[in-house]
Amino acid sequence: MRPNSSWFIVTVLYVVVVYVPASLVADSLNKHMKSADAFMSKGDTESAIAEYQKALRRDPSSVWAQSRLGLVYEQLGNGLFAKGEIDRAIDAYKNASSSAPTEPYWHEHLGLALEKKGDREAAVNEYRTAAELLPI
């Protein structure tokens, strides 16, 4: 019976070491994502961004958190662009693009803002990036 109890202990330790931390990360990620979504529904983009960033610190590979953070920055950029705050809109679109670099529409919006500012070369580069990322 002795060998069986050793396997049991090894198995329990494995489960504790491998699965429990992953579960805690997932719980923390979900908590921050829900909190960020709640802030977004209230229109509090600044707090939503902070929560999405916390979620990404918990799990940097979370596509869900990257996409949502990019979306918030894009919405922020759209609002700033509409108000004529082009420099701030460009910063927001750059943050959106860096959050989820494979999202073509954020590069397109960045291109529009750069063009509006008069930086045609940078705008063309963003349009080119957007075109390359578009699904066929």
Side-chain angles (χ1 to χ4, degrees), residues 14 16 30 61 79 110 113:
Y14 178 79
V16 168
N30 287 333
S61 66
L110 178 55

Side-chain angles (χ1 to χ4, degrees), residues 68-136:
R68 297 298 292 228
L69 179 60
L71 182 62
V72 173
Y73 277 124
E74 187 228 2
Q75 291 174 351
L76 178 62
N78 290 346
L80 293 166
F81 188 86
K83 292 178 189 176
E85 297 183 40
I86 305 305
D87 288 333
R88 290 184 63 207
I90 288 170
D91 289 340
Y93 293 138
K94 285 180 179 178
N95 285 330
S97 295
S98 67
S99 298
T102 60
E103 176 56 59
Y105 303 106
W106 300 333
H107 290 281
E108 178 186 11
H109 289 174
L110 178 55
L112 288 169
L114 289 165
E115 188 174 359
K116 177 89 172 176
K117 185 173 175 153
D119 191 347
R120 294 181 55 96
E121 184 178 335
V124 168
N125 287 336
E126 290 301 323
Y127 293 144
R128 186 174 293 120
T129 299
E132 291 169 358
L133 293 171
L134 282 173
I136 297 175

